[in-house]
Each structure stands twice: as structure tokens, then as C-alpha cells.
Coordinates of all heavy atoms in Angstrom, one line a residue:
A1 N 107.6 76.1 109.8 CA 108.6 77.2 109.8 C 109.9 76.8 110.4 O 110.0 75.8 111.2 CB 108.1 78.4 110.5
I2 N 111.0 77.5 110.0 CA 112.3 77.2 110.6 C 112.3 77.4 112.1 O 111.6 78.3 112.6 CB 113.4 78.0 109.9 CG1 114.8 77.6 110.4 CG2 113.1 79.5 110.2 CD1 115.9 78.3 109.6
D3 N 113.0 76.5 112.8 CA 113.1 76.6 114.3 C 114.1 77.7 114.6 O 115.3 77.6 114.3 CB 113.6 75.3 114.8 CG 113.9 75.3 116.3 OD1 113.6 76.3 117.0 OD2 114.5 74.3 116.8
P4 N 113.7 78.8 115.2 CA 114.6 79.9 115.5 C 115.7 79.5 116.5 O 116.7 80.2 116.7 CB 113.7 81.0 116.1 CG 112.4 80.3 116.5 CD 112.3 79.1 115.7
N5 N 115.5 78.4 117.3 CA 116.4 77.9 118.2 C 117.2 76.7 117.7 O 117.7 75.9 118.5 CB 115.7 77.6 119.5 CG 115.0 78.7 120.2 OD1 115.6 79.8 120.2 ND2 113.8 78.5 120.6
F6 N 117.4 76.7 116.4 CA 118.0 75.5 115.7 C 119.5 75.3 116.3 O 119.9 74.2 116.3 CB 118.0 75.7 114.2 CG 119.0 76.8 113.7 CD1 120.3 76.5 113.4 CD2 118.5 78.1 113.6 CE1 121.1 77.5 113.0 CE2 119.3 79.1 113.1 CZ 120.7 78.8 112.8
D7 N 120.1 76.5 116.6 CA 121.5 76.3 117.0 C 121.6 75.7 118.4 O 122.7 75.3 118.8 CB 122.2 77.7 117.0 CG 121.5 78.8 117.7 OD1 120.3 78.6 118.0 OD2 122.1 79.8 118.0
Q8 N 120.5 75.6 119.2 CA 120.5 74.9 120.4 C 119.9 73.5 120.2 O 120.3 72.5 120.9 CB 119.6 75.6 121.5 CG 120.3 76.9 122.0 CD 119.2 78.0 122.3 OE1 118.3 77.7 123.0 NE2 119.4 79.2 121.8
N9 N 119.0 73.3 119.3 CA 118.3 72.1 119.1 C 118.9 71.1 118.1 O 118.5 70.0 118.0 CB 116.8 72.3 118.7 CG 116.1 73.1 119.8 OD1 116.4 73.0 120.9 ND2 115.1 73.9 119.4
R10 N 119.9 71.6 117.3 CA 120.6 70.8 116.3 C 122.1 70.8 116.5 O 122.6 71.6 117.2 CB 120.2 71.3 114.9 CG 118.7 71.2 114.5 CD 118.5 71.8 113.2 NE 117.1 71.7 112.7 CZ 116.8 71.1 111.6 NH1 117.7 70.7 110.7 NH2 115.5 71.1 111.2
E11 N 122.7 69.9 115.8 CA 124.2 69.8 115.9 C 124.7 70.2 114.5 O 124.2 69.7 113.5 CB 124.7 68.4 116.2 CG 124.2 67.9 117.5 CD 124.9 68.6 118.7 OE1 126.0 69.1 118.5 OE2 124.2 68.7 119.8
P12 N 125.9 70.9 114.5 CA 126.5 71.2 113.2 C 127.1 69.9 112.7 O 127.8 69.1 113.4 CB 127.6 72.2 113.5 CG 127.7 72.2 115.0 CD 126.5 71.6 115.6
V13 N 126.9 69.5 111.4 CA 127.4 68.3 110.8 C 128.4 68.5 109.7 O 128.9 67.5 109.1 CB 126.2 67.4 110.3 CG1 125.3 67.0 111.5 CG2 125.4 68.1 109.2
G14 N 128.7 69.7 109.4 CA 129.7 70.0 108.3 C 129.6 71.3 107.8 O 128.9 72.2 108.4
E15 N 130.1 71.5 106.6 CA 130.1 72.8 105.9 C 129.9 72.6 104.4 O 130.5 71.7 103.9 CB 131.5 73.5 106.2 CG 131.4 75.0 106.2 CD 132.8 75.6 106.5 OE1 133.7 75.7 105.6 OE2 133.0 76.0 107.7
E16 N 129.1 73.5 103.8 CA 129.0 73.5 102.4 C 129.0 74.9 101.9 O 128.4 75.8 102.4 CB 127.6 72.8 102.0 CG 127.7 71.3 101.7 CD 126.4 70.7 101.4 OE1 125.6 71.2 100.6 OE2 126.1 69.7 102.1
N17 N 129.8 75.1 100.8 CA 129.9 76.5 100.2 C 130.3 77.5 101.3 O 129.8 78.7 101.2 CB 128.6 76.9 99.5 CG 128.2 75.8 98.5 OD1 128.9 75.5 97.6 ND2 127.0 75.3 98.6
G18 N 131.1 77.1 102.3 CA 131.5 78.0 103.3 C 130.6 78.3 104.4 O 130.9 79.1 105.3
V19 N 129.4 77.7 104.4 CA 128.5 77.9 105.5 C 128.3 76.6 106.3 O 128.3 75.5 105.7 CB 127.1 78.5 105.1 CG1 127.3 79.7 104.2 CG2 126.2 77.4 104.4
T20 N 128.0 76.7 107.6 CA 127.7 75.6 108.5 C 126.4 74.9 108.1 O 125.4 75.6 107.8 CB 127.7 76.0 109.9 OG1 128.9 76.6 110.2 CG2 127.4 74.9 110.9
V21 N 126.4 73.6 108.1 CA 125.2 72.8 108.0 C 124.8 72.2 109.3 O 125.6 71.5 109.9 CB 125.4 71.7 106.9 CG1 124.1 70.8 106.7 CG2 125.8 72.3 105.5
W22 N 123.5 72.4 109.7 CA 123.0 71.8 110.9 C 122.1 70.6 110.6 O 121.1 70.8 109.9 CB 122.2 72.9 111.7 CG 123.0 74.2 112.0 CD1 123.3 75.2 111.1 CD2 123.6 74.5 113.2 NE1 124.1 76.1 111.8 CE2 124.3 75.7 113.1 CE3 123.7 73.9 114.5 CZ2 125.0 76.4 114.1 CZ3 124.4 74.5 115.5 CH2 125.0 75.7 115.3
G23 N 122.4 69.5 111.2 CA 121.7 68.3 110.9 C 120.3 68.2 111.6 O 119.9 69.1 112.2
P24 N 119.7 67.0 111.4 CA 120.1 65.9 110.7 C 120.1 66.0 109.2 O 119.2 66.7 108.6 CB 119.2 64.8 111.2 CG 117.9 65.5 111.5 CD 118.4 66.8 112.1
V25 N 121.0 65.3 108.5 CA 121.1 65.3 107.1 C 121.0 63.9 106.6 O 121.7 63.0 107.1 CB 122.4 66.0 106.5 CG1 122.6 65.7 105.1 CG2 122.3 67.5 106.8
D26 N 120.2 63.6 105.6 CA 120.1 62.3 105.0 C 119.8 62.5 103.5 O 118.6 62.5 103.1 CB 119.0 61.4 105.7 CG 118.9 60.0 105.1 OD1 119.9 59.6 104.4 OD2 117.9 59.3 105.4
E27 N 120.9 62.7 102.7 CA 120.7 63.1 101.3 C 120.1 62.0 100.5 O 120.3 60.8 100.8 CB 122.1 63.5 100.8 CG 122.6 64.7 101.4 CD 124.0 65.1 100.9 OE1 124.5 64.4 100.0 OE2 124.5 66.1 101.3
P28 N 119.3 62.3 99.5 CA 118.9 63.7 99.1 C 117.6 64.2 99.7 O 117.3 65.4 99.5 CB 118.7 63.5 97.6 CG 118.1 62.2 97.4 CD 118.8 61.3 98.5
E29 N 117.0 63.4 100.5 CA 115.6 63.8 101.0 C 115.7 64.8 102.2 O 114.8 65.6 102.4 CB 114.8 62.6 101.5 CG 114.5 61.6 100.4 CD 115.5 60.6 100.2 OE1 116.5 60.6 101.0 OE2 115.4 59.7 99.3
Q30 N 116.7 64.8 103.0 CA 116.8 65.6 104.2 C 118.1 66.3 104.2 O 119.2 65.7 104.2 CB 116.7 64.7 105.4 CG 116.4 65.5 106.7 CD 116.2 64.6 107.9 OE1 116.6 63.4 107.9 NE2 115.5 65.1 108.9
L31 N 118.1 67.7 104.2 CA 119.3 68.4 103.9 C 119.6 69.4 105.1 O 120.7 70.1 105.0 CB 119.1 69.2 102.6 CG 118.9 68.4 101.4 CD1 118.6 69.3 100.2 CD2 120.1 67.5 101.1
G32 N 118.8 69.5 106.1 CA 119.1 70.3 107.3 C 119.0 71.8 107.1 O 118.4 72.2 106.1
I33 N 119.6 72.5 108.0 CA 119.6 74.0 107.9 C 121.0 74.5 107.5 O 122.0 74.0 108.1 CB 119.2 74.5 109.3 CG1 117.7 74.3 109.6 CG2 119.5 76.0 109.4 CD1 117.2 74.7 110.9
H34 N 121.0 75.4 106.6 CA 122.3 75.9 106.1 C 122.5 77.4 106.5 O 121.6 78.2 106.3 CB 122.3 75.9 104.5 CG 122.6 74.6 103.9 ND1 123.4 74.4 102.9 CD2 122.1 73.3 104.3 CE1 123.5 73.1 102.6 NE2 122.7 72.4 103.4
G35 N 123.6 77.6 107.2 CA 124.0 79.0 107.6 C 123.7 79.1 109.1 O 123.0 78.3 109.7
T36 N 124.2 80.2 109.7 CA 124.1 80.4 111.1 C 123.5 81.8 111.4 O 122.4 81.9 111.9 CB 125.4 80.3 111.9 OG1 125.9 78.9 111.6 CG2 125.2 80.4 113.4
H37 N 124.1 82.9 111.0 CA 123.5 84.2 111.2 C 122.3 84.4 110.3 O 121.3 84.8 110.7 CB 124.6 85.3 110.9 CG 123.9 86.7 111.1 ND1 123.6 87.2 112.3 CD2 123.5 87.6 110.2 CE1 123.1 88.4 112.2 NE2 122.9 88.6 110.9
V38 N 122.5 84.0 109.0 CA 121.4 83.8 108.1 C 121.2 82.3 107.8 O 122.1 81.7 107.2 CB 121.6 84.6 106.7 CG1 120.4 84.4 105.8 CG2 121.9 86.0 107.0
A39 N 120.1 81.8 108.3 CA 119.9 80.3 108.2 C 118.7 80.0 107.4 O 117.6 80.6 107.5 CB 119.7 79.8 109.7
V40 N 118.9 79.0 106.5 CA 117.8 78.6 105.6 C 117.5 77.1 105.8 O 118.5 76.3 105.8 CB 118.2 78.8 104.1 CG1 117.1 78.3 103.2 CG2 118.6 80.2 103.8
D41 N 116.3 76.8 106.2 CA 115.9 75.4 106.4 C 115.7 74.8 105.0 O 114.7 75.0 104.3 CB 114.7 75.3 107.2 CG 114.4 73.9 107.7 OD1 114.7 72.9 106.9 OD2 114.0 73.7 108.9
Y42 N 116.6 74.0 104.6 CA 116.6 73.4 103.2 C 115.4 72.4 103.1 O 115.0 72.1 102.0 CB 117.9 72.7 102.9 CG 118.9 73.5 102.2 CD1 119.0 74.9 102.5 CD2 119.8 73.0 101.3 CE1 119.9 75.7 101.9 CE2 120.7 73.8 100.7 CZ 120.8 75.2 100.9 OH 121.7 75.9 100.3
D43 N 114.9 71.9 104.2 CA 113.8 70.9 104.1 C 112.5 71.6 104.0 O 111.4 71.0 103.8 CB 113.9 70.0 105.3 CG 115.1 69.1 105.2 OD1 115.4 68.6 104.1 OD2 115.9 69.1 106.2
I44 N 112.5 73.0 104.2 CA 111.2 73.8 104.0 C 111.3 74.6 102.8 O 110.2 74.8 102.1 CB 111.1 74.7 105.3 CG1 110.9 73.9 106.5 CG2 109.9 75.7 105.1 CD1 110.8 74.7 107.8
C45 N 112.4 75.1 102.3 CA 112.6 76.0 101.2 C 112.0 75.3 99.9 O 112.3 74.1 99.6 CB 114.1 76.3 100.9 SG 114.4 77.2 99.4
I46 N 111.1 76.1 99.2 CA 110.5 75.6 98.0 C 111.1 76.3 96.7 O 110.5 76.3 95.7 CB 109.0 75.7 98.0 CG1 108.6 77.2 98.3 CG2 108.4 74.8 99.0 CD1 107.1 77.5 98.1
A47 N 112.2 77.0 96.9 CA 112.9 77.7 95.8 C 112.1 78.8 95.2 O 112.1 79.1 94.0 CB 113.3 76.7 94.7
D48 N 111.3 79.5 96.1 CA 110.5 80.7 95.7 C 111.4 81.7 95.0 O 111.0 82.3 94.0 CB 109.8 81.2 96.9 CG 109.0 82.5 96.5 OD1 107.8 82.3 96.0 OD2 109.5 83.6 96.7
G49 N 112.6 82.0 95.6 CA 113.5 82.9 95.1 C 113.4 84.4 95.5 O 114.2 85.2 95.2
A50 N 112.3 84.7 96.2 CA 112.1 86.1 96.6 C 113.2 86.6 97.5 O 113.6 87.8 97.4 CB 110.8 86.3 97.3
C51 N 113.8 85.8 98.3 CA 114.9 86.2 99.2 C 116.1 86.6 98.4 O 116.6 87.7 98.6 CB 115.2 85.0 100.2 SG 115.7 83.5 99.3
L52 N 116.4 85.7 97.5 CA 117.6 86.0 96.6 C 117.4 87.2 95.8 O 118.3 88.1 95.6 CB 117.9 84.7 95.8 CG 119.1 84.8 94.8 CD1 119.7 83.4 94.7 CD2 118.7 85.2 93.5
E53 N 116.3 87.4 95.2 CA 116.0 88.5 94.3 C 116.0 89.8 95.0 O 116.2 90.9 94.4 CB 114.7 88.3 93.5 CG 114.8 87.2 92.5 CD 113.4 86.6 92.1 OE1 112.4 87.3 92.3 OE2 113.4 85.5 91.5
N54 N 115.6 89.8 96.3 CA 115.3 91.1 97.0 C 116.4 91.5 98.1 O 116.3 92.6 98.6 CB 113.9 91.1 97.6 CG 112.9 91.1 96.5 OD1 112.6 92.1 96.0 ND2 112.3 90.0 96.2
C55 N 117.2 90.6 98.4 CA 118.2 90.9 99.4 C 119.1 92.1 98.9 O 119.7 92.0 97.9 CB 119.1 89.7 99.7 SG 120.5 90.1 100.8
P56 N 119.2 93.1 99.7 CA 119.9 94.3 99.2 C 121.4 94.2 99.1 O 122.1 95.0 98.5 CB 119.5 95.4 100.3 CG 119.2 94.6 101.5 CD 118.5 93.4 101.0
V57 N 121.9 93.1 99.8 CA 123.4 92.9 99.7 C 123.8 91.6 99.2 O 124.9 91.1 99.3 CB 124.0 93.1 101.1 CG1 123.9 94.6 101.6 CG2 123.4 92.3 102.2
D58 N 122.9 90.9 98.5 CA 123.2 89.7 97.7 C 123.8 88.6 98.6 O 124.9 88.1 98.2 CB 124.0 90.0 96.5 CG 123.3 90.9 95.5 OD1 122.1 90.8 95.4 OD2 124.0 91.6 94.7
V59 N 123.2 88.3 99.6 CA 123.7 87.2 100.5 C 123.6 85.8 99.9 O 124.4 85.0 100.1 CB 122.9 87.3 101.9 CG1 123.0 86.0 102.7 CG2 123.4 88.5 102.7
F60 N 122.5 85.6 99.1 CA 122.2 84.3 98.6 C 122.7 83.9 97.3 O 122.8 84.8 96.4 CB 120.6 84.1 98.7 CG 120.0 84.4 100.0 CD1 119.4 85.6 100.2 CD2 120.0 83.5 101.0 CE1 118.8 85.9 101.4 CE2 119.4 83.7 102.2 CZ 118.8 85.0 102.5
T61 N 123.0 82.6 97.1 CA 123.3 82.1 95.8 C 122.5 80.8 95.6 O 122.2 80.0 96.6 CB 124.8 81.8 95.6 OG1 125.2 81.0 96.7 CG2 125.6 83.1 95.6
W62 N 122.1 80.4 94.4 CA 121.4 79.2 94.1 C 122.3 78.0 94.2 O 123.5 78.0 93.7 CB 120.7 79.2 92.7 CG 119.5 80.1 92.6 CD1 119.4 81.2 91.7 CD2 118.3 79.9 93.2 NE1 118.2 81.7 91.9 CE2 117.4 81.0 92.7 CE3 117.7 79.0 94.1 CZ2 116.1 81.1 93.2 CZ3 116.4 79.2 94.6 CH2 115.6 80.2 94.1
V63 N 121.8 76.9 94.7 CA 122.5 75.6 94.6 C 121.5 74.5 94.2 O 120.3 74.7 94.5 CB 123.1 75.2 96.0 CG1 124.2 76.2 96.4 CG2 122.1 75.0 97.1
D64 N 122.0 73.5 93.5 CA 121.1 72.4 93.0 C 121.0 71.4 94.1 O 122.0 71.0 94.8 CB 121.7 71.8 91.8 CG 121.6 72.7 90.6 OD1 120.7 73.5 90.5 OD2 122.5 72.7 89.7
T65 N 119.7 70.9 94.3 CA 119.5 69.9 95.3 C 118.6 68.8 94.7 O 117.4 68.6 95.1 CB 118.8 70.5 96.6 OG1 117.6 71.1 96.2 CG2 119.7 71.4 97.3
P66 N 119.1 68.1 93.7 CA 118.3 67.1 93.0 C 117.8 66.0 93.9 O 118.5 65.5 94.8 CB 119.3 66.5 91.9 CG 120.6 66.9 92.4 CD 120.5 68.2 93.2
G67 N 116.5 65.7 93.8 CA 116.0 64.6 94.6 C 115.3 65.1 95.9 O 114.8 64.2 96.6
H68 N 115.4 66.4 96.2 CA 114.8 66.8 97.4 C 113.3 67.0 97.2 O 112.9 67.6 96.2 CB 115.4 68.1 97.9 CG 114.9 68.5 99.3 ND1 113.7 69.2 99.5 CD2 115.3 68.1 100.5 CE1 113.5 69.3 100.8 NE2 114.5 68.6 101.5
P69 N 112.4 66.5 98.1 CA 111.0 66.5 97.8 C 110.4 67.9 97.7 O 109.4 68.1 97.0 CB 110.4 65.8 99.0 CG 111.5 65.6 100.0 CD 112.8 65.7 99.2
A70 N 110.9 68.9 98.4 CA 110.3 70.3 98.4 C 110.7 71.1 97.2 O 109.9 71.9 96.7 CB 110.7 71.0 99.7
S71 N 111.9 70.9 96.7 CA 112.4 71.7 95.5 C 113.8 71.2 95.2 O 114.6 70.8 96.0 CB 112.4 73.2 95.7 OG 113.3 73.5 96.8
E72 N 114.1 71.3 93.9 CA 115.4 70.8 93.4 C 116.5 71.9 93.3 O 117.5 71.7 92.7 CB 115.2 70.0 92.1 CG 114.3 68.9 92.3 CD 114.5 67.7 91.4 OE1 115.0 67.9 90.3 OE2 114.3 66.5 91.9
E73 N 116.1 73.1 93.9 CA 117.1 74.2 94.1 C 116.9 74.7 95.4 O 115.7 74.7 95.9 CB 116.9 75.3 93.0 CG 117.5 75.0 91.7 CD 117.3 76.3 90.8 OE1 116.1 76.7 90.6 OE2 118.3 76.8 90.4
K74 N 117.9 75.3 96.0 CA 117.8 76.0 97.3 C 118.7 77.2 97.3 O 119.6 77.3 96.4 CB 118.3 75.1 98.5 CG 117.7 73.7 98.5 CD 116.2 73.7 98.9 CE 115.7 72.2 98.9 NZ 114.2 72.2 99.1
V75 N 118.5 78.1 98.3 CA 119.4 79.3 98.4 C 120.4 79.1 99.5 O 120.0 78.7 100.6 CB 118.6 80.6 98.6 CG1 117.9 81.0 97.3 CG2 117.7 80.5 99.7
E76 N 121.7 79.2 99.1 CA 122.7 79.1 100.1 C 123.0 80.5 100.6 O 123.2 81.4 99.8 CB 124.0 78.6 99.4 CG 125.1 78.1 100.4 CD 124.8 76.8 101.0 OE1 124.0 76.7 101.9 OE2 125.3 75.8 100.4
P77 N 123.1 80.8 101.9 CA 123.4 82.1 102.4 C 125.0 82.3 102.4 O 125.6 82.6 103.4 CB 122.9 82.1 103.9 CG 122.9 80.6 104.3 CD 122.7 79.8 103.0
T78 N 125.5 82.2 101.2 CA 126.9 82.2 101.0 C 127.6 83.4 101.6 O 128.7 83.3 102.1 CB 127.2 82.2 99.4 OG1 126.3 81.3 98.8 CG2 128.6 81.9 99.1
H79 N 127.0 84.6 101.5 CA 127.6 85.8 102.0 C 126.9 86.3 103.3 O 126.6 87.5 103.4 CB 127.6 86.9 100.9 CG 128.2 86.4 99.6 ND1 129.5 86.1 99.5 CD2 127.7 86.2 98.4 CE1 129.8 85.7 98.3 NE2 128.7 85.8 97.6
E80 N 126.6 85.3 104.2 CA 125.8 85.7 105.4 C 126.6 86.7 106.2 O 126.0 87.5 107.0 CB 125.5 84.5 106.2 CG 126.7 83.7 106.8 CD 126.2 82.5 107.6 OE1 125.1 82.5 108.1 OE2 127.1 81.6 107.8
D81 N 127.9 86.8 106.1 CA 128.7 87.8 106.9 C 128.4 89.2 106.4 O 128.7 90.2 107.1 CB 130.2 87.5 106.7 CG 130.6 87.4 105.3 OD1 129.9 86.9 104.4 OD2 131.7 87.9 105.0
Q82 N 127.8 89.4 105.2 CA 127.5 90.7 104.7 C 126.1 91.2 105.1 O 125.7 92.3 104.8 CB 127.6 90.8 103.2 CG 129.0 90.6 102.7 CD 129.1 90.5 101.2 OE1 128.2 90.9 100.5 NE2 130.2 89.9 100.7
C83 N 125.3 90.3 105.7 CA 123.9 90.6 106.1 C 123.8 91.9 106.9 O 124.6 92.1 107.9 CB 123.3 89.4 106.8 SG 121.6 89.7 107.4
I84 N 122.8 92.8 106.6 CA 122.6 94.0 107.4 C 121.4 93.9 108.2 O 120.9 95.0 108.7 CB 122.6 95.2 106.4 CG1 121.5 95.1 105.4 CG2 123.9 95.5 105.7 CD1 121.2 96.3 104.6
D85 N 120.9 92.7 108.4 CA 119.7 92.5 109.3 C 118.5 93.3 109.0 O 117.8 93.7 109.9 CB 120.1 92.8 110.8 CG 121.3 91.9 111.3 OD1 121.6 90.9 110.6 OD2 121.8 92.1 112.4
C86 N 118.2 93.4 107.7 CA 117.1 94.2 107.3 C 115.8 93.4 107.5 O 114.7 94.0 107.5 CB 117.2 94.7 105.8 SG 116.9 93.4 104.6
M87 N 115.9 92.1 107.6 CA 114.8 91.1 107.8 C 113.8 91.0 106.6 O 112.8 90.3 106.7 CB 114.0 91.6 109.0 CG 114.8 91.6 110.3 SD 115.5 89.9 110.7 CE 116.7 90.3 111.9
L88 N 114.2 91.5 105.5 CA 113.3 91.4 104.3 C 113.1 89.9 103.9 O 112.0 89.5 103.7 CB 114.0 92.2 103.2 CG 113.1 92.3 101.9 CD1 113.4 93.6 101.1 CD2 113.5 91.1 100.9
C89 N 114.2 89.2 103.9 CA 114.1 87.8 103.5 C 113.2 87.0 104.5 O 112.4 86.1 104.0 CB 115.5 87.1 103.4 SG 116.4 87.1 104.9
V90 N 113.3 87.3 105.8 CA 112.5 86.6 106.8 C 111.0 86.9 106.5 O 110.2 86.0 106.6 CB 112.9 87.1 108.2 CG1 112.0 86.5 109.2 CG2 114.4 86.6 108.5
D91 N 110.7 88.1 106.2 CA 109.3 88.6 106.0 C 108.8 88.1 104.7 O 107.6 87.8 104.6 CB 109.2 90.1 106.1 CG 109.6 90.6 107.5 OD1 109.5 89.9 108.4 OD2 109.9 91.8 107.6
I92 N 109.6 88.0 103.7 CA 109.1 87.7 102.3 C 109.0 86.2 102.0 O 108.2 85.9 101.1 CB 110.0 88.4 101.3 CG1 109.2 88.8 100.0 CG2 111.2 87.6 100.9 CD1 110.0 89.7 99.1
C93 N 109.7 85.4 102.7 CA 109.7 83.9 102.3 C 108.3 83.4 102.6 O 107.8 83.4 103.7 CB 110.7 83.2 103.1 SG 110.6 81.4 102.8
P94 N 107.6 82.8 101.5 CA 106.3 82.3 101.7 C 106.1 81.1 102.6 O 105.0 80.8 103.0 CB 105.8 82.0 100.2 CG 107.1 81.7 99.5 CD 108.2 82.6 100.2
V95 N 107.2 80.4 102.9 CA 107.1 79.2 103.7 C 107.9 79.4 105.0 O 108.1 78.4 105.7 CB 107.6 78.0 102.9 CG1 106.5 77.6 101.9 CG2 108.9 78.1 102.3
D96 N 108.4 80.6 105.3 CA 109.1 80.9 106.6 C 110.3 79.9 106.8 O 110.5 79.3 107.8 CB 108.2 80.7 107.8 CG 107.2 81.9 107.9 OD1 107.5 83.0 107.4 OD2 106.1 81.7 108.5
A97 N 111.1 79.8 105.7 CA 112.3 78.9 105.7 C 113.5 79.6 106.3 O 114.5 79.0 106.4 CB 112.5 78.4 104.3
I98 N 113.5 81.0 106.5 CA 114.7 81.7 106.9 C 114.6 82.3 108.3 O 113.6 82.8 108.7 CB 114.9 82.9 105.9 CG1 115.0 82.3 104.4 CG2 116.2 83.6 106.2 CD1 115.2 83.4 103.4
D99 N 115.7 82.2 109.0 CA 115.9 82.8 110.3 C 117.1 83.7 110.2 O 118.1 83.2 109.8 CB 116.0 81.8 111.4 CG 116.1 82.4 112.8 OD1 115.2 83.1 113.2 OD2 117.2 82.3 113.4
V100 N 117.0 84.9 110.7 CA 118.1 85.8 110.8 C 118.2 86.2 112.3 O 117.2 86.5 112.9 CB 118.0 87.1 109.9 CG1 119.1 88.1 110.2 CG2 117.9 86.7 108.5
D101 N 119.4 86.1 112.8 CA 119.7 86.4 114.2 C 119.0 87.7 114.6 O 119.2 88.7 114.0 CB 121.2 86.5 114.5 CG 121.8 85.2 115.0 OD1 121.0 84.2 115.0 OD2 123.0 85.2 115.3
G102 N 118.2 87.7 115.6 CA 117.5 88.9 116.1 C 116.1 88.9 115.6 O 115.3 89.7 116.0
S103 N 115.7 87.9 114.7 CA 114.3 87.9 114.3 C 113.4 87.1 115.2 O 113.9 86.3 116.0 CB 114.2 87.3 112.9 OG 114.6 85.9 112.9
Ligands
LIG1 FE1 119.7 90.0 103.0 FE2 118.2 91.5 104.7 FE3 118.0 88.8 104.7 FE4 120.2 89.9 105.7 S1 118.1 90.1 106.5 S2 120.1 88.1 104.2 S3 120.5 91.7 104.3 S4 117.4 90.2 103.0
LIG2 FE1 113.5 79.4 99.6 FE2 111.9 81.1 100.9 FE3 114.0 82.0 99.5 S1 111.2 79.3 99.7 S2 114.2 80.5 97.9 S3 114.0 80.6 101.3 S4 112.0 83.0 99.7

């Protein structure tokens, strides 16, 4: 599961699609955690899609991650600033890849 204390245990290494990326990153096999308020561990996400399909405010967008061992697509929390903290994505993800502040 995603480390809920990632913001203390990892360092920000850059930005993609407007969201912070927390390392370590070693493309294409290791992609780190994307987002801060809504955070997705790209190394755990298997592209199930339930988060994206069910988020009431459409926080997520698909991105291609060719060559990643867990899945070749991931969800970017592109609109994390719109999150209403309903926690649906945290509860629904089958591999616990998402952390939302307060969860
Ligand atoms: Fe969307 Fe709710 Fe997850 Fe926020 S907590 S990203 S509003 S599903
Ligand atoms: Fe990935 Fe979990 Fe969403 S596997 S696509 S973060 S439901």
C-alpha cells in the first residue's frame, strides 16, 4: 500500500502534468508517487480505473506509462485541488495505491 507519510519519507523530484512527483524515480520501471493532497503510488497502481470512473469531481486523468511492470497506464491526480475528500478512491482502489490527506 502507499505510504501515508510519503511527504516526510520521500523527496519531491519534479512535476508532471501540474502535480508534484515524489521520488525515487528510475524510468520506466520506477515512477514514484504523483500528487500531494491526492497521491497515487505509480509503482503500485495496476490501472484498475475505479478511482477515475467513480470520483465525483473528476480529479483523475489517464497517462501512459509504457514499460512499467505493474501497468502501462496510470491515473494522474490532475485536478487534486478540486478534491472534496470523500475518500471513495482510497476505499475503492484494489491495491491501496491512493492516499488522500486525512485518510
Ligand atoms: Fe475524488 Fe473523492 Fe478521491 Fe477526492 S477523495 S480524489 S473527491 S474520489
Ligand atoms: Fe490505479 Fe487503484 Fe485507480 S489501481 S487506476 S489507483 S483504482
